[in-house]
Amino acid sequence: MTPSFIGNLTDFLACSAGKKRLSLKLGSSFFLFGLINNVLYVIILSAALDLVPPSTPKGIIAFCNIAPALIAKLGWPYFLKGRIRYARRIVGCCTLSFIGMLVVAFHESLYSRLLGICLASFSSGLGEMTFLQLSTTYSRSVGGRSVGYFASGTGAAGIVGAFMWWELRGLGISTGVGISAVLPFILPLAYFFLLPRPAAFVHQSFSASYTLVPADDLETEIDDLSQDDVESRVEPKVTVSLSAADKWRLVKPMLLKYMLPLFCVYTFEYTINQGVAPTLLYPVPSHGLISKIIHSVRDYYPLWQLVYQTTVFFSRSSISLGLKTLPARLLPAPAIIQFVILLLLVLESAVGLLPEDREGGSIFLVFMLISIEGVCGGLAYVNVFYRINQEQPDPASAHNPEITKQEREFKIGSIGFADSSGILLASILAVPTEMELCRAQVARGKYLCRGL
């Protein structure tokens, strides 16, 4: 072995270890961003029965938990101009969430608790948009992975949040919600002390390219890095910002391509979860595996939610697990499948797809349909935001790195209101849907929904 070969091998091993450390820190940071940003949303929904008096409709919790987030996602990208100050935003989101949860924990009046929920919801909506925009400050290859890690964290929030409240609820509202109020402080800690800066990937890639990458690949790699990382970080001499006309130009191509599929998926998905799933009830089984899980009729709804949250987590983790993304032409497919599942579950609830003496088959059918629902919902979320992150810049603005940077941030931030507005519409549709399905069940002699 020649000294030069040994030197190159040492450089290769050192560079490989450095890349692994950077990837681990990047993945951990964005996973935590998704997990912590969304976990309070889940905790509040899980605690809905405990937060309001029995006479208060629980739908008001769902409304206050999504409407402020929709306002944040609609207001910030469309009406604010200029560069995004990520550190300020993340610290602001942490502060708002902390204050909101403290208000919920230590004020017993209904209106005070609803105000606290609204503050936490606004912070969650602004935080989700901010972390997705943060992914665009990296090169497309790194940014795509960042979206995958973030989506995986948001999926895990459903399971972690429900489990946390299950464990904390025995401590009471003040203590349980008060403990969860400290979670938002993880966000600025991860941002300042764990998240690698984009320049770290630039330096690492140039170092690796110098010793290991063939000339043709090196030229391509340098071009990609210089456009996405180096140029985008050159401080502009003149302050520039996107005009309303610029934003409309960017939004128009995304309306049917990205926003409509995401809106439809969330409308169908949350109509199922909030309006149909509460009526998918069966007698308590006396034998088989399901009898170990279901001990009363009230156990069915938590079971459907657990199945949904688990499948959403795995499907939102598809990119971070190394699975292939959906082709752009198939982005509407999850919404179409969700609509079919919605129709099937409505029919199962209203009239029953299988004979009444085959309740085990009906339970299995619902289990499979809700599993597919969760998979479709998770795939729609992660693939839409991944595709937006990977889009090439507009040729008309490619000469200005600052404008290109703001366009990437705006495009991924402007999509967020599509899913939130779908959830909001579903929360409106869910109440009459649940009532009508219960009436249909009573009309055919099935009274389980009346006993809840």
Short mmCIF file of all heavy atoms in Angstrom, two decimals, residues 202-243:
data_model
loop_
_atom_site.label_atom_id
_atom_site.label_comp_id
_atom_site.label_asym_id
_atom_site.label_seq_id
_atom_site.Cartn_x
_atom_site.Cartn_y
_atom_site.Cartn_z
N VAL A 202 -22.36 21.61 2.94
CA VAL A 202 -21.58 22.11 1.81
C VAL A 202 -20.12 21.72 1.99
O VAL A 202 -19.49 21.15 1.11
CB VAL A 202 -21.72 23.64 1.68
CG1 VAL A 202 -20.87 24.15 0.52
CG2 VAL A 202 -23.17 24.03 1.49
N HIS A 203 -19.54 22.00 3.16
CA HIS A 203 -18.13 21.71 3.41
C HIS A 203 -17.88 20.22 3.37
O HIS A 203 -16.87 19.76 2.83
CB HIS A 203 -17.72 22.28 4.77
CG HIS A 203 -17.87 23.77 4.86
ND1 HIS A 203 -18.10 24.43 6.04
CD2 HIS A 203 -17.83 24.72 3.89
CE1 HIS A 203 -18.19 25.73 5.81
NE2 HIS A 203 -18.04 25.93 4.52
N GLN A 204 -18.81 19.43 3.94
CA GLN A 204 -18.63 17.99 3.96
C GLN A 204 -18.65 17.43 2.55
O GLN A 204 -17.86 16.56 2.20
CB GLN A 204 -19.75 17.35 4.79
CG GLN A 204 -19.47 15.91 5.22
CD GLN A 204 -18.41 15.86 6.29
OE1 GLN A 204 -18.25 16.80 7.06
NE2 GLN A 204 -17.66 14.79 6.34
N SER A 205 -19.56 17.94 1.72
CA SER A 205 -19.70 17.43 0.36
C SER A 205 -18.49 17.81 -0.48
O SER A 205 -17.99 17.02 -1.28
CB SER A 205 -20.98 17.97 -0.27
OG SER A 205 -22.09 17.50 0.44
N PHE A 206 -17.98 19.03 -0.31
CA PHE A 206 -16.80 19.44 -1.07
C PHE A 206 -15.59 18.60 -0.67
O PHE A 206 -14.79 18.20 -1.50
CB PHE A 206 -16.50 20.92 -0.83
CG PHE A 206 -17.26 21.81 -1.77
CD1 PHE A 206 -18.22 22.69 -1.29
CD2 PHE A 206 -17.03 21.76 -3.13
CE1 PHE A 206 -18.92 23.50 -2.16
CE2 PHE A 206 -17.73 22.58 -4.00
CZ PHE A 206 -18.68 23.45 -3.51
N SER A 207 -15.47 18.31 0.64
CA SER A 207 -14.35 17.51 1.11
C SER A 207 -14.41 16.10 0.54
O SER A 207 -13.41 15.55 0.08
CB SER A 207 -14.36 17.45 2.64
OG SER A 207 -13.38 16.57 3.11
N ALA A 208 -15.62 15.52 0.55
CA ALA A 208 -15.78 14.17 0.01
C ALA A 208 -15.54 14.16 -1.48
O ALA A 208 -14.92 13.25 -2.04
CB ALA A 208 -17.18 13.65 0.33
N SER A 209 -16.04 15.19 -2.17
CA SER A 209 -15.90 15.25 -3.61
C SER A 209 -14.44 15.35 -4.02
O SER A 209 -14.00 14.80 -5.02
CB SER A 209 -16.67 16.44 -4.16
OG SER A 209 -18.04 16.31 -3.86
N TYR A 210 -13.64 16.03 -3.23
CA TYR A 210 -12.25 16.29 -3.58
C TYR A 210 -11.44 15.00 -3.72
O TYR A 210 -10.61 14.85 -4.60
CB TYR A 210 -11.61 17.19 -2.53
CG TYR A 210 -10.15 17.50 -2.82
CD1 TYR A 210 -9.83 18.41 -3.82
CD2 TYR A 210 -9.13 16.87 -2.13
CE1 TYR A 210 -8.51 18.69 -4.11
CE2 TYR A 210 -7.81 17.14 -2.40
CZ TYR A 210 -7.50 18.06 -3.41
OH TYR A 210 -6.20 18.33 -3.69
N THR A 211 -11.75 14.03 -2.85
CA THR A 211 -10.93 12.82 -2.86
C THR A 211 -11.60 11.62 -3.49
O THR A 211 -10.92 10.68 -3.89
CB THR A 211 -10.56 12.43 -1.41
OG1 THR A 211 -11.75 12.25 -0.66
CG2 THR A 211 -9.71 13.51 -0.77
N LEU A 212 -12.94 11.63 -3.59
CA LEU A 212 -13.61 10.38 -3.92
C LEU A 212 -14.48 10.41 -5.17
O LEU A 212 -14.72 9.38 -5.77
CB LEU A 212 -14.48 9.92 -2.73
CG LEU A 212 -13.72 9.71 -1.43
CD1 LEU A 212 -14.69 9.56 -0.28
CD2 LEU A 212 -12.85 8.48 -1.55
N VAL A 213 -15.00 11.55 -5.53
CA VAL A 213 -16.01 11.60 -6.58
C VAL A 213 -15.36 11.81 -7.93
O VAL A 213 -14.49 12.65 -8.08
CB VAL A 213 -17.00 12.75 -6.30
CG1 VAL A 213 -18.06 12.83 -7.38
CG2 VAL A 213 -17.66 12.50 -4.95
N PRO A 214 -15.78 11.03 -8.95
CA PRO A 214 -15.24 11.23 -10.29
C PRO A 214 -15.54 12.64 -10.79
O PRO A 214 -16.45 13.31 -10.33
CB PRO A 214 -15.98 10.17 -11.13
CG PRO A 214 -16.41 9.14 -10.14
CD PRO A 214 -16.65 9.87 -8.87
N ALA A 215 -14.80 13.05 -11.80
CA ALA A 215 -14.87 14.45 -12.26
C ALA A 215 -16.26 14.83 -12.72
O ALA A 215 -16.76 15.91 -12.40
CB ALA A 215 -13.86 14.66 -13.38
N ASP A 216 -16.93 13.96 -13.48
CA ASP A 216 -18.26 14.32 -14.00
C ASP A 216 -19.25 14.49 -12.86
O ASP A 216 -20.05 15.42 -12.84
CB ASP A 216 -18.76 13.23 -14.96
CG ASP A 216 -17.93 13.18 -16.23
OD1 ASP A 216 -17.25 14.19 -16.53
OD2 ASP A 216 -17.97 12.14 -16.92
N ASP A 217 -19.22 13.56 -11.88
CA ASP A 217 -20.12 13.66 -10.74
C ASP A 217 -19.80 14.87 -9.89
O ASP A 217 -20.68 15.52 -9.34
CB ASP A 217 -20.04 12.40 -9.88
CG ASP A 217 -20.54 11.18 -10.62
OD1 ASP A 217 -21.29 11.36 -11.59
OD2 ASP A 217 -20.14 10.05 -10.25
N LEU A 218 -18.52 15.18 -9.78
CA LEU A 218 -18.10 16.31 -8.97
C LEU A 218 -18.67 17.61 -9.52
O LEU A 218 -19.16 18.46 -8.78
CB LEU A 218 -16.57 16.37 -8.91
CG LEU A 218 -15.96 17.60 -8.22
CD1 LEU A 218 -16.46 17.68 -6.79
CD2 LEU A 218 -14.44 17.53 -8.26
N GLU A 219 -18.64 17.73 -10.84
CA GLU A 219 -19.15 18.96 -11.44
C GLU A 219 -20.63 19.13 -11.17
O GLU A 219 -21.11 20.21 -10.82
CB GLU A 219 -18.88 18.92 -12.95
CG GLU A 219 -19.31 20.20 -13.67
CD GLU A 219 -19.00 20.14 -15.16
OE1 GLU A 219 -18.33 19.20 -15.59
OE2 GLU A 219 -19.46 21.05 -15.87
N THR A 220 -21.38 18.01 -11.27
CA THR A 220 -22.82 18.07 -11.00
C THR A 220 -23.09 18.41 -9.55
O THR A 220 -23.94 19.24 -9.23
CB THR A 220 -23.47 16.71 -11.35
OG1 THR A 220 -23.20 16.42 -12.71
CG2 THR A 220 -24.97 16.76 -11.09
N GLU A 221 -22.33 17.78 -8.65
CA GLU A 221 -22.53 17.99 -7.22
C GLU A 221 -22.24 19.44 -6.84
O GLU A 221 -22.98 20.07 -6.10
CB GLU A 221 -21.63 17.04 -6.43
CG GLU A 221 -21.74 17.16 -4.93
CD GLU A 221 -23.04 16.63 -4.38
OE1 GLU A 221 -23.79 16.00 -5.16
OE2 GLU A 221 -23.32 16.85 -3.20
N ILE A 222 -21.15 19.98 -7.37
CA ILE A 222 -20.78 21.35 -7.04
C ILE A 222 -21.84 22.33 -7.57
O ILE A 222 -22.21 23.29 -6.90
CB ILE A 222 -19.39 21.68 -7.61
CG1 ILE A 222 -18.32 20.91 -6.84
CG2 ILE A 222 -19.10 23.18 -7.53
CD1 ILE A 222 -16.92 21.09 -7.39
N ASP A 223 -22.35 22.06 -8.77
CA ASP A 223 -23.39 22.94 -9.32
C ASP A 223 -24.60 22.95 -8.41
O ASP A 223 -25.17 24.00 -8.10
CB ASP A 223 -23.80 22.46 -10.72
CG ASP A 223 -22.73 22.78 -11.76
OD1 ASP A 223 -21.86 23.63 -11.45
OD2 ASP A 223 -22.76 22.18 -12.85
N ASP A 224 -25.04 21.74 -7.96
CA ASP A 224 -26.22 21.66 -7.09
C ASP A 224 -25.99 22.38 -5.77
O ASP A 224 -26.83 23.13 -5.30
CB ASP A 224 -26.54 20.19 -6.83
CG ASP A 224 -27.74 20.02 -5.92
OD1 ASP A 224 -28.83 20.49 -6.30
OD2 ASP A 224 -27.58 19.44 -4.84
N LEU A 225 -24.82 22.16 -5.18
CA LEU A 225 -24.53 22.79 -3.89
C LEU A 225 -24.42 24.29 -4.02
O LEU A 225 -24.92 25.04 -3.19
CB LEU A 225 -23.23 22.21 -3.32
CG LEU A 225 -23.32 20.78 -2.80
CD1 LEU A 225 -21.92 20.22 -2.59
CD2 LEU A 225 -24.12 20.72 -1.53
N SER A 226 -23.76 24.74 -5.08
CA SER A 226 -23.55 26.18 -5.20
C SER A 226 -24.86 26.91 -5.39
O SER A 226 -25.06 28.01 -4.89
CB SER A 226 -22.61 26.48 -6.37
OG SER A 226 -23.19 26.05 -7.59
N GLN A 227 -25.79 26.30 -6.10
CA GLN A 227 -27.09 26.95 -6.33
C GLN A 227 -27.94 26.94 -5.07
O GLN A 227 -28.58 27.93 -4.73
CB GLN A 227 -27.84 26.23 -7.46
CG GLN A 227 -27.22 26.48 -8.83
CD GLN A 227 -27.93 25.67 -9.90
OE1 GLN A 227 -28.96 25.06 -9.65
NE2 GLN A 227 -27.37 25.67 -11.09
N ASP A 228 -27.95 25.81 -4.36
CA ASP A 228 -28.91 25.64 -3.27
C ASP A 228 -28.38 26.10 -1.91
O ASP A 228 -29.16 26.40 -1.04
CB ASP A 228 -29.31 24.16 -3.15
CG ASP A 228 -30.16 23.73 -4.32
OD1 ASP A 228 -30.84 24.61 -4.88
OD2 ASP A 228 -30.12 22.55 -4.67
N ASP A 229 -27.08 26.12 -1.73
CA ASP A 229 -26.55 26.43 -0.40
C ASP A 229 -25.68 27.68 -0.40
O ASP A 229 -25.87 28.55 0.43
CB ASP A 229 -25.74 25.25 0.13
CG ASP A 229 -26.63 24.10 0.54
OD1 ASP A 229 -27.41 24.31 1.47
OD2 ASP A 229 -26.55 23.04 -0.07
N VAL A 230 -24.71 27.73 -1.30
CA VAL A 230 -23.76 28.83 -1.25
C VAL A 230 -24.41 30.13 -1.68
O VAL A 230 -24.41 31.13 -0.96
CB VAL A 230 -22.54 28.51 -2.14
CG1 VAL A 230 -21.56 29.67 -2.10
CG2 VAL A 230 -21.87 27.22 -1.68
N GLU A 231 -25.04 30.14 -2.86
CA GLU A 231 -25.62 31.37 -3.37
C GLU A 231 -26.76 31.85 -2.50
O GLU A 231 -26.94 33.05 -2.29
CB GLU A 231 -26.12 31.15 -4.81
CG GLU A 231 -24.99 31.01 -5.82
CD GLU A 231 -25.53 30.89 -7.23
OE1 GLU A 231 -26.78 30.93 -7.37
OE2 GLU A 231 -24.74 30.78 -8.16
N SER A 232 -27.55 30.88 -1.98
CA SER A 232 -28.72 31.27 -1.19
C SER A 232 -28.33 31.92 0.13
O SER A 232 -29.17 32.50 0.80
CB SER A 232 -29.62 30.05 -0.92
OG SER A 232 -28.94 29.14 -0.12
N ARG A 233 -27.04 31.80 0.50
CA ARG A 233 -26.62 32.40 1.75
C ARG A 233 -25.79 33.67 1.59
O ARG A 233 -25.22 34.18 2.52
CB ARG A 233 -25.84 31.36 2.57
CG ARG A 233 -26.86 30.60 3.37
CD ARG A 233 -26.45 29.22 3.72
NE ARG A 233 -27.61 28.59 4.29
CZ ARG A 233 -28.55 27.99 3.56
NH1 ARG A 233 -28.46 27.90 2.27
NH2 ARG A 233 -29.61 27.49 4.15
N VAL A 234 -25.69 34.15 0.36
CA VAL A 234 -25.03 35.42 0.14
C VAL A 234 -25.97 36.53 0.55
O VAL A 234 -27.10 36.61 0.08
CB VAL A 234 -24.64 35.59 -1.35
CG1 VAL A 234 -24.08 36.98 -1.59
CG2 VAL A 234 -23.64 34.52 -1.75
N GLU A 235 -25.58 37.34 1.44
CA GLU A 235 -26.44 38.41 1.94
C GLU A 235 -26.73 39.40 0.81
O GLU A 235 -25.80 39.91 0.17
CB GLU A 235 -25.75 39.16 3.09
CG GLU A 235 -25.61 38.34 4.34
CD GLU A 235 -26.94 38.13 5.03
OE1 GLU A 235 -27.86 38.93 4.78
OE2 GLU A 235 -27.06 37.18 5.80
N PRO A 236 -27.98 39.68 0.53
CA PRO A 236 -28.30 40.63 -0.55
C PRO A 236 -27.92 42.04 -0.16
O PRO A 236 -28.06 42.45 0.98
CB PRO A 236 -29.83 40.48 -0.68
CG PRO A 236 -30.28 40.01 0.66
CD PRO A 236 -29.17 39.17 1.22
N LYS A 237 -27.43 42.76 -1.16
CA LYS A 237 -27.07 44.16 -0.90
C LYS A 237 -28.32 45.02 -0.78
O LYS A 237 -28.32 46.02 -0.10
CB LYS A 237 -26.18 44.67 -2.02
CG LYS A 237 -24.83 43.95 -2.10
CD LYS A 237 -23.98 44.49 -3.22
CE LYS A 237 -22.63 43.75 -3.29
NZ LYS A 237 -21.79 44.25 -4.41
N VAL A 238 -29.38 44.61 -1.49
CA VAL A 238 -30.63 45.36 -1.44
C VAL A 238 -31.71 44.43 -0.92
O VAL A 238 -31.80 43.28 -1.34
CB VAL A 238 -31.01 45.90 -2.84
CG1 VAL A 238 -32.32 46.67 -2.76
CG2 VAL A 238 -29.89 46.77 -3.40
N THR A 239 -32.51 44.90 0.03
CA THR A 239 -33.59 44.08 0.58
C THR A 239 -34.64 43.82 -0.49
O THR A 239 -35.15 44.76 -1.12
CB THR A 239 -34.24 44.79 1.78
OG1 THR A 239 -33.24 45.03 2.77
CG2 THR A 239 -35.34 43.93 2.36
N VAL A 240 -34.97 42.56 -0.70
CA VAL A 240 -35.96 42.19 -1.70
C VAL A 240 -37.01 41.32 -1.04
O VAL A 240 -36.77 40.68 -0.01
CB VAL A 240 -35.32 41.42 -2.87
CG1 VAL A 240 -34.40 42.32 -3.67
CG2 VAL A 240 -34.58 40.19 -2.37
N SER A 241 -38.21 41.30 -1.61
CA SER A 241 -39.29 40.47 -1.09
C SER A 241 -40.26 40.17 -2.22
O SER A 241 -40.30 40.87 -3.24
CB SER A 241 -40.02 41.18 0.06
OG SER A 241 -40.58 42.40 -0.39
N LEU A 242 -41.03 39.11 -2.04
CA LEU A 242 -42.01 38.70 -3.05
C LEU A 242 -43.23 39.60 -2.98
O LEU A 242 -43.75 39.90 -1.90
CB LEU A 242 -42.42 37.25 -2.82
CG LEU A 242 -41.31 36.19 -2.87
CD1 LEU A 242 -41.90 34.82 -2.58
CD2 LEU A 242 -40.62 36.20 -4.21
N SER A 243 -43.70 40.02 -4.14
CA SER A 243 -44.92 40.82 -4.21
C SER A 243 -46.13 39.90 -4.23
O SER A 243 -46.02 38.68 -4.37
CB SER A 243 -44.91 41.69 -5.47
OG SER A 243 -44.96 40.87 -6.63
#
